[in-house]
């Protein structure tokens, strides 16, 4: 039997190219206190409709409507096949506005949000728990995951139901990604310590439905306590024969899907393909726990663990925050800011998103709120010319050539990017970090990717326009021909009925012609009479 | 001498037959150069170039009857691509034909003013206007190429061009603006340089 790429997965650890060893800064926030505390109700929740990758959702509530906790506020848009996800009410209360508000997005643009004023009662909508998940089939599971609005909680926020749909039964290995490689963030570690059972049960559900043979929970080397908790939970569920915890060495960005697969299996996911091509499904541990809640208890994704950390926060910790909570409320809950705060970031220090203020809401993608002080950040440096030192090449985890890419993008030669595989860039920021010339490489790559996408869209649109133009031309030609034919028909008909004289003349002409034919066919003896008649 | 003549004649005959056969067997329908040019043109079908559509303009370029700088919607990028394809020099856009727009535009019909005359429907090169006689018309925004051909025929002047809105679904990162001098850094931080 041919060997599958997943046969020896996890047996030996492998390397991925590049990567950085970074200081972790996780002790700041991790597991103080355990279990993480729940944030009290805020005075207002602002829930952005587009929190996921893909199509904006369709709002299904109206201003003034009373909603219950867990009630769907918007459903995936019906237009096209683009992915979409449900968004739910984080608590019970009244919808006070549906309007464009600032959201955590790099564009800084406002986006449609549903504003909810809590009534303080926190009443749940009627949930539909499942007694035995073993009775569920593939479609039912995907339907439940979709109805719960679950998206990838590792940061990519791709709708999970769509990822699972593409999976069907082609996979044999599930990798649970508990490798939180970016410094400061510790929400997944906290989850693994406080609720390992949820993760294991979620994994077993996916195993059952997708007939997965093996589950690997990947954690980082220093996460000893996690390891113990997970092992204990595995034995509680009697899942020791299919679930395995593997510790991988600390190296940024090992938590990237493709990098983790490479470390565990030694195989690289081919460019432009998904891990399914190797028979692997990768899910973040928090996503799997959310799947468990959605399937067994019927609870939609309305809250998540958020790490509030950094030297700019008085009491860094992990908290359970509802989606839509203003970031300021989280900061207040954690004792407020310290004196030297310089920058507020959503996400980690390398891939995070700088925020303008703390009035923005927590969204499904918010794994961390990081407040950095002046001591943490270097001042903005002027960009110097590239000296071709090659540092960026040696740290790139995707094996790309950042310096070449940067030159090509700067020259706006976007057609050349395809052959340089810009798509494979995961925007981890390693190249930025090591660049001695302070070139904002990732910014260039994002620009290049945006332009590539925009051009592809333009091409698609122009193809449609060409098709429509050609169809129209054909139609007009056809119409013209039909009109002409109709016209001629009518003309002939008119000519036919215009005067009797003409028709009589025509009849005479026809008779004459017939006679001539007859005469020509007559034998010679009759020729004279024929002549006589004609003359 | 005779042998040489015979051999050469035979060779000429063989090659002649081979070429003649190839000309029939591998005949290409249409004009491949015009096809390639057309693929670069933006397909707005706006006729600003003076030809009735993108295809006729592409054919005119292929026949070297038209310059490559007569397409405002394609703009500078389009001229660059055409120049590369045809091995010509990059020339600026012909100012007589129009100017390149910063953002793509789509037409919008003010529906309360529309009298339902169907004139714009007849003018639209891509069938992006929906309506019937004495019924209100509307533009299918996703199909509109922004060619502006519907504006002149409108007797009540109820069609406007609006630039497409940038929101978080179609926004993308712009080109990084490099900070190059110390004073510029100070500017971005709002500090004074001593």
């Amino acid at each position: 039997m041919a060997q599958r790429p997943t046969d020896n997965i996890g047996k030996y650890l492998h390397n991925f190219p590049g990567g950085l060893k970074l200081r972790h800064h996780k002790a700041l926030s991790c597991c103080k206190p355990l279990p993480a505390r729940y944030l009290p109700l805020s005075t207002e929740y602002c829930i952005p409709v587009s929190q996921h990758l893909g199509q904006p959702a369709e709002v299904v509530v109206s201003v003034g409507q009373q909603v219950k906790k867990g009630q769907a506020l918007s459903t995936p848009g019906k237009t096209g096949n683009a992915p979409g996800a449900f968004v739910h009410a984080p608590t019970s209360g009244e919808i006070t506005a549906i309007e464009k508000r600032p959201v955590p997005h790099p564009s800084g643009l406002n986006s449609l949000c549903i504003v909810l004023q809590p009534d303080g009662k926190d009443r749940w909508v009627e949930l539909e728990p499942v007694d035995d998940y073993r009775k569920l089939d593939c479609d039912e599971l995907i339907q439940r995951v979709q109805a719960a609005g679950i998206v990838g909680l590792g940061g990519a926020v791709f709708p999970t139901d769509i990822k699972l749909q593409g999976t069907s039964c082609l996979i044999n290995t599930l990798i649970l990604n508990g490798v939180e490689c970016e410094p400061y963030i510790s929400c997944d570690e906290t989850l693994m310590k406080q609720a390992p059972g949820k993760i294991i049960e979620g994994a077993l559900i996916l195993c059952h439905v997708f007939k997965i043979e093996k589950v690997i929970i990947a954690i980082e080397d220093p996460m000893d306590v996690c390891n113990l908790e997970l092992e204990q939970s595995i034995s509680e569920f009697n899942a020791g024969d299919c679930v395995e915890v593997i510790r991988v060495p600390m190296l940024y960005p090992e938590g990237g899907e493709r990098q983790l697969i490479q470390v565990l299996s030694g195989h690289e996911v081919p460019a432009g393909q998904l891990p399914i091509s190797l028979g692997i499904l990768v899910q973040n541990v928090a996503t799997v726990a959310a799947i468990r809640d959605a399937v067994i208890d019927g609870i939609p994704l309305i809250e998540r663990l958020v790490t509030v950390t950094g030297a700019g926060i008085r009491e860094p910790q992990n908290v359970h925050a509802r989606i839509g909570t203003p970031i300021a409320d989280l900061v207040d809950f954690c004792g407020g800011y310290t004196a030297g705060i310089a920058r507020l970031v959503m996400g980690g220090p390398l891939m995070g998103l700088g925020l303008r203020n703390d009035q923005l809401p927590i969204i499904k993608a918010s794994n961390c709120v990081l407040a950095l002080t002046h001591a943490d950040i270097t001042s903005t440096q002027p960009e110097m010319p590239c000296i071709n030192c090659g540092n960026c090449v040696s740290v790139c985890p995707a094996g790309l050539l950042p310096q070449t890419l940067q030159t090509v993008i700067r020259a706006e030669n976007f057609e050349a990017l395809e052959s340089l595989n810009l798509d494979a860039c995961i925007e981890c920021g390693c190249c930025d970090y090591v660049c001695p010339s302070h070139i904002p490489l990732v910014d260039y790559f994002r620009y290049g990717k945006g332009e590539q996408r925009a051009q592809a869209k333009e091409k698609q649109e122009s193809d449609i326009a060409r098709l429509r133009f050609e169809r129209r031309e054909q139609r007009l030609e056809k119409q013209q021909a039909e009109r002409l034919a109709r016209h001629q028909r009518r003309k002939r008909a008119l000519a036919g009925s215009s005067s009797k004289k003409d028709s009589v003349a025509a009849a005479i002409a026809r008779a004459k012609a017939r006679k001539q034919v007859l005469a020509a066919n007559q034998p010679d003896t009759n020729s004279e009479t024929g002549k006589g008649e004609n003359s | 001498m005779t042998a040489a003549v015979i051999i050469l004649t035979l060779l000429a005959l063989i090659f002649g037959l081979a070429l003649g056969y190839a000309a029939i067997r591998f005949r290409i329908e249409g004009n491949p150069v015009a096809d390639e040019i057309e693929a670069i043109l933006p397909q707005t079908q706006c006729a600003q170039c003076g030809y009735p559509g993108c295809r006729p303009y592409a054919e005119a370029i292929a026949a070297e009857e038209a310059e490559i700088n007569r397409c405002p919607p394609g703009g500078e990028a389009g001229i660059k691509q055409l120049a590369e394809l045809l091995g010509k020099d990059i020339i600026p856009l012909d100012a007589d034909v129009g100017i390149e727009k910063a953002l793509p535009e789509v037409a919008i019909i003010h529906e309360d003013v529309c009298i339902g005359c169907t004139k714009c429907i007849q003018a639209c090169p891509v069938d992006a206007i929906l309506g019937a006689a004495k019924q209100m018309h509307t533009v299918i925004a996703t199909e509109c190429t922004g060619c502006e051909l519907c504006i002149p025929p409108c007797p009540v002047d109820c069609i406007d061009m609006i630039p497409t809105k940038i929101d978080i679904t179609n926004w993308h990162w712009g080109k990084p603006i490099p900070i190059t001098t110390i004073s510029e850094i100070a500017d971005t931080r709002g500090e004074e340089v001593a």
Side-chain angles (χ1 to χ4, degrees):
Chain A
M1 198 177 132
Q3 203 174 10
R4 297 177 304 183
T6 48
D7 277 347
N8 282 326
I9 192 162
K11 211 168 188 179
Y12 312 103
L13 292 182
H14 306 261
N15 280 323
F16 64 91
L20 286 174
K21 279 204 156 60
L22 299 169
R23 280 178 63 195
H24 245 187
H25 297 290
K26 298 215 187 218
L28 262 180
S29 61
C30 194
C31 312
K32 316 186 276 190
L34 201 73
R37 288 186 291 167
Y38 284 81
L39 221 63
L41 277 180
S42 299
T43 50
E44 191 179 81
Y45 290 92
C46 171
I47 307 117
V49 169
S50 287
Q51 296 188 23
H52 48 270
L53 217 65
Q55 203 68 26
E58 207 170 296
V59 180
V60 292
V61 289
S62 49
V63 176
Q65 193 179 333
Q66 295 288 330
V67 293
K68 285 183 176 169
K69 186 179 180 181
Q71 186 177 334
L73 299 180
S74 70
T75 59
K78 285 187 192 106
T79 44
N81 297 324
F86 278 90
V87 176
H88 301 85
T91 182
S92 60
E94 188 188 337
I95 306 293
T96 51
I98 299 171
E99 61 190 15
K100 290 207 166 186
R101 290 208 177 184
V103 292
H105 189 269
S107 66
L109 294 167
N110 291 1
S111 176
L112 194 64
C113 294
I114 299 170
V115 184
L116 175 72
Q117 183 120 40
D119 58 11
K121 292 176 189 146
D122 215 18
R123 283 169 306 166
W124 273 101
V125 75
E126 211 164 299
L127 299 175
E128 293 170 21
V130 163
D131 303 328
D132 188 3
Y133 68 80
R134 287 173 195 85
K135 287 177 192 153
L136 288 176
D137 67 16
C138 196
D139 294 338
E140 281 169 326
L141 175 96
I142 289 171
Q143 196 264 323
R144 283 188 88 88
V145 167
Q146 187 194 21
I150 296 174
V151 296
L153 294 175
V157 281
F158 187 79
T160 304
D161 54 301
I162 294 172
K163 191 169 178 177
L164 294 178
Q165 254 166 25
T167 304
S168 58
C169 290
L170 298 164
I171 47 163
N172 48 50
T173 306
L174 171 67
I175 297 177
L176 297 189
N177 190 347
V179 186
E180 257 178 335
C181 55
E182 207 170 349
Y184 288 103
I185 308 172
S186 61
C187 57
D188 287 349
E189 190 174 352
T190 308
L191 178 76
M192 284 189 282
K193 278 181 198 169
Q194 73 177 32
K198 278 192 179 184
I199 297 167
I200 306 293
E201 209 172 353
L204 290 177
I205 292 170
L206 290 178
C207 272
H208 168 75
V209 174
F210 294 106
K211 315 271 182 296
I212 294 166
E213 297 156 21
K214 192 168 182 181
V215 180
I216 290 173
I217 306 177
I219 59 171
E220 281 196 306
D221 217 8
M223 298 180 181
D224 290 313
V225 188
C226 281
N227 195 1
L228 286 176
E229 294 283 347
L230 286 167
E231 293 287 3
Q232 201 182 337
S233 187
I234 290 168
S235 54
E236 272 169 29
F237 279 96
N238 281 327
D241 49 345
C242 71
V243 185
E244 191 184 352
V245 182
I246 291 180
R247 302 208 288 190
V248 295
M250 269 168 63
L251 191 62
Y252 177 80
E254 199 157 50
E257 191 171 76
R258 283 154 197 266
Q259 282 66 34
L260 187 59
I261 289 173
Q262 203 170 352
V263 167
L264 291 173
S265 72
H267 290 271
E268 211 172 335
V269 181
Q273 288 188 28
L274 295 170
I276 300 171
S277 61
L278 297 180
I280 297 171
L281 173 69
V282 183
Q283 290 286 1
N284 179 271
V285 283
T287 316
V288 175
I291 291 175
R292 183 248 165 233
D293 283 347
V295 172
I296 295 187
D297 300 332
I299 298 175
L301 183 63
I302 53 166
E303 60 159 47
R304 66 160 299 150
L305 263 170
V306 182
T307 309
V308 186
T309 186
I313 300 284
R314 275 187 211 283
E315 298 161 22
Q317 57 186 283
N318 281 279
V319 292
H320 285 280
R322 295 170 206 242
I323 308 297
T325 313
I327 286 171
D329 286 9
L330 270 78
V331 175
D332 287 345
F333 187 73
C334 300
Y337 299 111
T338 57
I341 173 149
R343 192 175 289 174
L344 193 62
V345 177
M346 192 187 97
L350 280 110
M351 295 180 78
L353 166 71
L355 300 178
R356 290 181 181 195
N357 60 45
D358 57 10
Q359 295 308 308
L360 300 168
I362 288 288
I363 55 173
K364 290 176 184 176
S366 320
N367 48 6
C368 181
V369 172
L370 177 62
L372 297 167
T373 57
H374 284 293
D376 298 319
I377 54 175
T378 51
S379 56
T380 316
Q381 301 278 338
E383 182 186 331
M384 310 288 274
C386 173
I387 55 167
N388 287 319
C389 64
N391 282 358
C392 51
V393 180
S394 60
V395 296
C396 180
L400 302 177
L401 302 169
Q403 57 186 37
T404 316
L405 279 167
Q406 177 257 137
T407 332
V408 168
I409 293 170
R410 213 181 274 232
E412 306 198 354
N413 184 6
F414 300 113
E415 291 87 54
L417 292 176
E418 199 114 344
S419 58
L420 290 167
N421 286 317
L422 179 65
D423 292 344
C425 168
I426 58 167
E427 299 173 23
C428 64
C430 286
C431 49
D432 258 6
Y433 186 86
V434 296
C435 181
S437 290
H438 314 294
I439 301 171
L441 289 153
V442 174
D443 288 0
Y444 278 103
F445 301 158
R446 284 172 174 159
Y447 165 60
K449 282 183 181 180
E451 280 295 323
Q452 247 185 334
R453 264 199 299 274
Q455 283 187 0
K457 193 165 164 262
E458 252 169 49
K459 181 90 189 66
Q460 206 184 350
E461 281 172 358
S462 81
D463 283 345
I464 293 172
R466 180 189 301 130
L467 198 73
R468 288 180 77 88
F469 178 68
E470 281 169 6
R471 292 256 169 88
R472 182 173 184 270
E473 293 284 289
Q474 278 171 11
R475 198 190 64 219
L476 290 181
E477 248 168 56
K478 204 175 142 198
Q479 276 176 355
Q480 181 79 22
E482 272 172 13
R483 205 163 34 232
L484 214 71
R486 214 167 38 230
H487 184 69
Q488 267 171 359
R489 234 183 1 252
R490 202 175 302 148
K491 207 169 153 190
R492 234 176 305 156
L494 270 174
S497 65
S498 61
S499 68
K500 279 197 170 173
K501 250 184 207 167
D502 286 357
S503 62
V504 173
I508 293 170
R510 274 203 302 277
K512 270 189 184 170
R514 209 179 305 134
K515 269 185 189 167
Q516 256 174 1
V517 173
L518 271 171
N521 289 346
Q522 288 289 327
D524 287 346
T525 45
N526 287 342
S527 64
E528 266 194 21
T529 37
K531 265 177 197 167
E533 265 176 15
N534 275 339
S535 62
Chain B
M1 165 70 184
T2 342
V5 170
I6 292 167
I7 288 167
L8 281 176
T9 317
L10 272 175
L11 275 175
L13 208 67
I14 291 165
F15 283 119
L17 282 172
L19 282 172
Y21 173 73
I24 298 162
R25 176 72 179 76
F26 303 109
R27 190 187 161 81
I28 296 169
E29 292 295 329
N31 188 346
V33 182
D35 284 345
E36 274 184 69
I37 295 170
E38 200 196 357
I40 293 171
L41 295 177
Q43 303 300 324
T44 38
Q45 318 292 355
C46 61
Q48 287 184 79
C49 51
Y51 294 86
C54 294
R55 179 78 207 176
Y57 178 45
E59 274 161 12
I61 297 177
E64 307 217 343
E65 286 164 7
E67 280 293 343
I68 57 171
N69 65 344
R70 298 186 62 82
C71 179
E76 217 178 298
I79 295 172
K80 206 174 129 197
Q81 274 179 291
L82 285 175
E84 257 167 45
L85 175 74
L86 302 166
K88 292 191 174 176
D89 289 336
I90 296 173
I91 42 177
L93 185 70
D94 193 341
D96 297 342
V97 291
I99 45 161
E100 188 183 354
K101 287 174 197 156
L103 272 179
E105 292 183 342
V106 289
I108 185 167
I109 294 178
H110 295 290
E111 293 166 352
D112 45 347
V113 186
C114 175
I115 54 167
C117 69
T118 74
K119 284 191 171 153
C120 56
I121 299 182
Q122 290 157 32
C124 180
V126 290
D127 285 337
I129 301 178
L130 197 70
K134 302 221 175 123
Q135 306 288 322
M136 181 194 72
H137 303 341
T138 194
V139 177
I140 309 167
T142 50
E143 311 287 1
C144 177
T145 61
C147 68
E148 300 187 7
L149 288 179
C150 51
I151 295 178
C154 181
V156 289
D157 202 13
C158 72
I159 306 176
D160 267 334
M161 299 304 293
I162 48 164
T164 44
K165 257 191 204 143
I166 299 285
D167 58 22
I168 63 169
T169 52
N170 62 3
W171 174 89
H172 70 77
W173 290 80
K175 195 170 188 173
I177 304 157
I179 296 167
T180 43
T181 61
I182 301 288
S183 60
E184 276 182 48
I185 303 166
D187 278 349
T188 58
R189 282 203 249 145
E191 290 167 10
E192 289 273 316
V193 188

